[in-house]
Amino acid sequence: MSETIQDETIRPGEIAVGLDPAQPYDAGLSFIGHIRTPWGVRGQCPRQGDRTAGPECSIVVDPLWHRALEGIEYWPELQILYWMNEARRDLVIQVATGKQPQGTFAMRSPVRPNPIASSVVTLLRVEAGTLIVRGLDCLDGTPLLDIKAHFGELYP
Amino acid sequence: MSETIQDETIRPGEIAVGLDPAQPYDAGLSFIGHIRTPWGVRGQCPRQGDRTAGPECSIVVDPLWHRALEGIEYWPELQILYWMNEARRDLVIQVATGKQPQGTFAMRSPVRPNPIASSVVTLLRVEAGTLIVRGLDCLDGTPLLDIKAHFGELYP
């Protein structure tokens, strides 16, 4: 989920569509907090989070939403949605390092029409509105969109 | 994922926060297609999609993004993100039918600050920019946000 693709760069074989900058968005998102990780630049991020051996990361929830965390400690795993705010949004064909060109929807690259990332994490503990978890792979400071109970292990 | 909660209704025990309608959104979403299902009203939707025995549903991708589907047939399962456009966004404590009040982030209810749903589906076939899948539980006409390769079974 953490390809090293920088905004506005395009690689041989990649294809962008023309997005109209005057076209209004269809819906709006409100950031509900942010994520703290050890990785300050994209090249440092792991390719995929590790729920068992990855470092502890913090999901810092804005005070407005603290009460929405009630009962969260019941879930050993959570699904986290976050916003990959550095990614371009107009590529339909992408070239990951060492791979053939692929369609954006056949990948998990951050470059996509709506750059929403989804990761499943292990919840270690809750500290005053902050979740301490393992399994993330994103940049430090990444905006938080959602936290959901993850049923995968309990109700597969 | 399909609680019968209608916009603007609130149940005993539920708690809403005051959202400022003048506050601008932090980011914008573009719908990239829509989902066709057999369910026209929320009460008909199953509580959770069934990847094995659920009905065939269609994910209709807008022509602008058709090339982004290249290679998608490689993945037996896909993660689908969609927008629950009928859900209110201001509840921090919710009461599901027959349950005690719980925090929004400990649930998968469509009522949440950013009403993005995530489902894993089985891909049956691709027909000219439309994916035929099993495993969805949403309303007919639901706006589509993203399609991602799902690594769950192949790289658990």
Side-chain angles (χ1 to χ4, degrees), chain B residues 51-52 76-78 120-124 132-135:
Chain B
R51 271 176 264 178
T52 308
E77 294 188 331
L78 299 170
V120 175
V121 301
T122 303
L123 176 62
L124 301 175
I132 314 298
V133 304
R134 281 191 217 281

Side-chain angles (χ1 to χ4, degrees), chain B residues 116-155:
Chain B
I116 302 164
S118 167
S119 289
V120 175
V121 301
T122 303
L123 176 62
L124 301 175
R125 59 192 183 276
V126 184
E127 295 175 350
T130 294
L131 309 182
I132 314 298
V133 304
R134 281 191 217 281
L136 290 171
D137 61 5
C138 61
L139 284 171
D140 188 39
T142 295
L144 178 66
L145 295 176
D146 199 10
I147 301 166
K148 296 178 194 285
H150 179 65
F151 299 165
E153 301 291 325
L154 293 177
Y155 308 109

Side-chain angles (χ1 to χ4, degrees), chain A residues 48-79:
Chain A
Q48 198 173 348
D50 185 328
R51 272 177 263 177
T52 308
E56 292 189 9
C57 297
S58 298
I59 297 172
V60 183
V61 177
D62 288 344
L64 178 67
W65 300 107
H66 279 187
R67 288 214 62 181
L69 293 169
E70 286 185 23
I72 199 118
E73 63 282 356
Y74 174 77
W75 300 100
E77 295 189 329
L78 299 170
Q79 182 181 9

Side-chain angles (χ1 to χ4, degrees), chain A residues 17-125:
Chain A
V17 292
L19 296 183
D20 177 1
Q23 175 81 20
Y25 288 116
D26 297 306
L29 296 172
S30 299
F31 299 155
I32 61 166
H34 64 280
I35 297 175
R36 303 305 313 267
T37 74
W39 308 297
V41 296
R42 181 153 296 287
Q44 296 173 336
C45 293
R47 191 174 157 73
Q48 198 173 348
D50 185 328
R51 272 177 263 177
T52 308
E56 292 189 9
C57 297
S58 298
I59 297 172
V60 183
V61 177
D62 288 344
L64 178 67
W65 300 107
H66 279 187
R67 288 214 62 181
L69 293 169
E70 286 185 23
I72 199 118
E73 63 282 356
Y74 174 77
W75 300 100
E77 295 189 329
L78 299 170
Q79 182 181 9
I80 309 299
L81 301 184
Y82 47 95
W83 187 247
M84 295 178 289
N85 52 334
E86 298 196 2
R88 65 186 291 167
R89 301 173 67 162
D90 60 348
L91 294 191
V92 286
I93 299 287
Q94 299 179 49
V95 180
T97 308
K99 299 207 176 174
Q100 292 298 308
Q102 294 179 86
T104 292
F105 299 144
M107 309 174 72
R108 292 185 71 90
S109 156
V111 173
R112 44 208 322 114
N114 294 301
I116 302 165
S118 166
S119 289
V120 175
V121 301
T122 303
L123 176 61
L124 301 175
R125 59 191 184 276

